[in-house]
Amino acid sequence: DTEVTQTPKHLVMGMTNKKSLKCEQHMGHRAMYWYKQKAKKPPELMFVYSYEKLSINESVPSRFSPECPNSSLLNLHLHALQPEDSALYLCASSQEKRGGMNTEAFFGQGTRLTVV
Amino acid sequence: GQQVMQIPQYQHVQEGEDFTTYCNSSTTLSNIQWYKQRPGGHPVFLIQLVKSGEVKKQKRLTFQFGEAKKNSSLHITATQTTDVGTYFCAGLRRGTSYGKLTFGQGTILTVHP
């Protein structure tokens, strides 16, 4: 199984709503990522989890709250978002090798989020 | 911060023509990866280059990593309509935390049959 599964595929939420995005992988990867991608732009790194611990937070606003309940799951909790937060949210995972060398990242299909 | 510049932003070719996209980094990279994203899809890993001057081939795709490990290119020979999509390079700056890839802006390739 070389898949990263994200749910939901589409989400429309109001600015006062609380919602969560979910990501799951069963490849035994110990590094998991959240990216944000606007149309015709590259993915922007938001968070990196390494062995279920948050290792990188790219100065993301606190209305985005990541969580890694176990080695297979990654959540992104959303609260009080703004319309400019509308984007494709991509989850990815990779093996983590000693020495810090990146390995191939497997991306999920993404959640297309619209904030109204 | 680290910049990875990618050109061109758009490329329109006739089927059968060749295509090249280039990435340049302001700093030395530990490695560089290439991804392809089809319209409406998600990035899919193509290759990783690690060594200075490295060249790798995958069928019609040729990937190069510069001697100074600051630039890279992807060349597609005889494009096909299935090559349509956005091609991203993603580099890891030497000494940067694991996982902190910086993506180039991407090149959107259109292939006319």
Side-chain angles (χ1 to χ4, degrees), chain B:
Chain B
Q2 180 184 2
Q3 295 267 344
V4 177
M5 308 302 293
Q6 190 173 352
I7 57 169
Q9 188 176 358
Y10 299 94
Q11 186 77 59
H12 304 271
V13 299
Q14 288 293 129
E15 191 171 19
E17 292 181 341
D18 292 356
F19 158 75
T20 305
T21 174
Y22 301 90
C23 274
N24 285 291
S25 170
S26 55
T27 57
T28 303
L29 300 171
S30 292
N31 63 338
I32 194 158
Q33 298 180 347
W34 286 91
Y35 290 83
K36 176 184 178 182
Q37 186 172 18
R38 293 183 186 272
H42 59 283
V44 174
F45 176 84
L46 295 176
I47 204 114
Q48 175 167 277
L49 304 171
V50 177
K51 298 177 185 174
S52 169
E54 191 169 13
V55 178
K56 287 189 176 180
K57 293 192 177 186
Q58 289 179 351
K59 297 183 181 178
R60 295 179 294 104
L61 278 61
T62 302
F63 303 84
Q64 293 191 354
F65 202 10
E67 294 290 340
K69 300 183 74 173
K70 285 187 174 183
N71 56 72
S72 182
S73 65
L74 157 59
H75 179 83
I76 301 179
T77 305
T79 54
Q80 300 174 358
T81 53
T82 52
D83 295 324
V84 162
T86 303
Y87 292 84
F88 292 103
C89 62
L92 180 67
R93 188 178 66 187
R94 186 178 288 173
T96 304
S97 302
Y98 176 90
K100 202 165 179 175
L101 283 175
T102 299
F103 279 76
Q105 290 299 308
T107 296
I108 300 172
L109 173 64
T110 306
V111 180
H112 300 284

Side-chain angles (χ1 to χ4, degrees), chain A residues 50-116:
Chain A
S50 174
Y51 290 86
E52 294 106 74
K53 285 188 170 30
L54 184 65
S55 63
I56 296 176
N57 176 342
E58 289 288 85
S59 303
V60 179
S62 59
R63 57 186 185 268
F64 296 91
S65 175
E67 179 196 20
C68 191
N70 60 54
S71 60
S72 299
L73 293 174
L74 187 66
N75 298 322
L76 186 63
H77 302 298
L78 314 173
H79 174 53
L81 294 194
Q82 303 296 312
E84 59 264 30
D85 296 320
S86 298
L88 180 67
Y89 287 84
L90 292 161
C91 173
S93 71
S94 67
Q95 289 184 351
E96 181 164 339
K97 287 186 176 176
R98 291 192 183 282
M101 183 59 67
N102 272 25
T103 60
E104 171 184 357
F106 290 78
F107 282 82
Q109 299 278 358
T111 294
R112 195 160 297 280
L113 174 68
T114 304
V115 182
V116 296

